[in-house]
Amino acid sequence: MAALRIFSYQPNPRLWKATIAARLNGVDIEVRGAEPAALADWLWDFDARPLRDEDRANSDYQQTGRVGFGGTSLRKTPDFLDAHPFGTVPAAFSGDGRTGIFESNSIARAVARLGEARLPLYGADAYEASRIDSFLDASLVFGRDTQAYLLGLRARHMEAHAQQLASAAFVTYASGMERALKGGREFLVGKQLSLADICFACELTMLWYERPLLAWLHGQGYAAVMPADFADAYPHACAHFTRLRRHEAFAPELESHLAHLESITNISAGE
Ligand SMILES: N[C@@H](CCC(=O)N[C@@H](CS)C(=O)NCC(=O)O)C(=O)O
């Protein structure tokens, strides 16, 4: 039995906060799920699996998605919603299925705590752990303020306020990270890699989704949220991100995903 089971669509940089932490500290994780659209044909449950005919007929499971799955008919079991009251993915469970852990930062915290003896990723003491929490909270706010923008990109329907909110969030987040890394600091907290670095790398990775859509975005009259001069304007944050994406524990998920998005330069509307 794995220490943690996570149900999520894939690829999902939010899920990778946990899988990268697990690669570093050896915690055994089982990941279930499929590509985003396919989750409408999955049972959202501890025992997540593709739907059977009887699941489709069970009205107790019927739910309408709200964020990312807005308006989509989904099948979430009552047990799933007991464990995950906000009904979101990634959705983690203790190995025995009794405890649900939601919010990707908290799922990553669970991995860090479970593997603490092998490798501390959650700080050396209460102060460092709390400072890591500070970065995780700032990352959640950034993730929240960019979510509508990223979903707008995916739907090829951008609202001006979503783009403005995301742009302002980017400046706040990147400026804070830049300041935190100034003076030759190698990591965000303390002298070793922590959840703060993992979360930063994964949250920033989410913004790479805008890369293949820049032409579409400009065509709609909007600027990219990540400015073209990111490396010059935020040199420490950019260098840290570049180091992390190449790190052996991050590269299996991040490097191929980012390189793929960097290689698609021009998606036209509808693709
Ligand atoms: N802040 C959350 C965001 C999770 C989230 O919003 N997930 C969306 C998909 S992008 C979801 O599961 N929506 C379920 C629904 O629409 O019912 C995290 O980091 O885990």
Side-chain angles (χ1 to χ4, degrees):
M1 180 173 81
L4 215 57
R5 184 183 290 179
I6 309 178
F7 173 55
S8 176
Y9 60 84
Q10 295 165 54
N12 183 356
R14 292 194 186 103
L15 164 70
W16 298 340
K17 297 172 187 175
T19 53
I20 291 168
R23 187 171 295 112
L24 284 159
N25 69 10
V27 169
D28 185 18
I29 294 186
E30 179 190 349
V31 177
R32 292 192 184 189
E35 68 270 22
L39 287 206
D41 294 314
W42 273 62
L43 187 67
W44 293 39
D45 188 56
F46 171 60
D47 190 18
R49 52 172 171 72
L51 289 173
R52 298 175 187 144
D53 288 345
E54 65 264 27
D55 303 322
R56 292 183 197 277
N58 191 334
S59 58
D60 287 350
Y61 296 170
Q62 191 72 48
Q63 296 284 326
T64 303
R66 287 207 255 187
V67 179
F69 294 90
T72 306
S73 176
L74 300 170
R75 305 297 196 298
K76 302 180 185 180
T77 65
D79 285 349
F80 178 85
L81 290 172
D82 263 358
H84 293 277
F86 299 97
T88 53
V89 288
F93 293 87
S94 53
D96 61 9
R98 288 197 187 150
T99 307
I101 304 153
F102 44 94
E103 284 296 330
S104 55
N105 290 352
S106 290
I107 299 171
R109 283 184 183 97
V111 177
R113 288 181 174 121
L114 289 165
E116 177 73 24
R118 203 185 296 208
L119 181 76
L121 287 171
Y122 202 180
D125 55 30
Y127 297 106
E128 273 195 13
S130 302
R131 184 168 164 80
I132 290 168
D133 280 338
S134 307
F135 281 106
L136 265 50
D137 287 356
S139 297
L140 174 60
V141 171
F142 172 66
R144 175 77 195 171
D145 285 351
T146 48
Q147 192 171 27
Y149 169 74
L150 294 171
L151 291 172
L153 282 176
R154 205 172 76 188
R156 310 289 194 277
H157 177 78
M158 189 55 65
E159 302 276 357
H161 66 87
Q163 194 275 349
Q164 284 155 10
L165 182 66
S167 291
F170 181 83
V171 173
T172 302
Y173 189 62
S175 304
M177 292 302 175
E178 182 65 15
R179 210 169 287 126
L181 291 161
K182 264 193 177 139
R185 279 191 204 114
E186 211 182 327
F187 302 106
L188 283 167
V189 179
K191 294 198 169 4
Q192 57 184 28
L193 188 80
S194 76
L195 280 188
D197 304 293
I198 296 173
C199 189
F200 163 65
C202 293
E203 214 60 71
L204 205 56
T205 290
M206 300 283 293
L207 261 199
W208 254 246
Y209 283 117
E210 73 176 359
R211 297 259 171 142
L213 289 164
L214 290 179
W216 176 82
L217 198 59
H218 294 150
Q220 301 291 305
Y222 295 111
V225 161
M226 180 178 284
D229 69 345
F230 173 57
D232 295 329
Y234 306 98
H236 297 89
C238 181
H240 191 48
F241 180 76
T242 303
R243 267 196 311 275
L244 291 174
R245 67 182 273 184
R246 293 179 184 151
H247 186 291
E248 60 183 6
F250 293 61
E253 281 97 353
L254 294 200
E255 195 50 49
S256 59
H257 178 74
L258 293 166
H260 171 66
L261 291 172
E262 284 160 357
S263 73
I264 321 169
T265 47
N266 229 332
I267 291 184
S268 58
E271 275 182 65

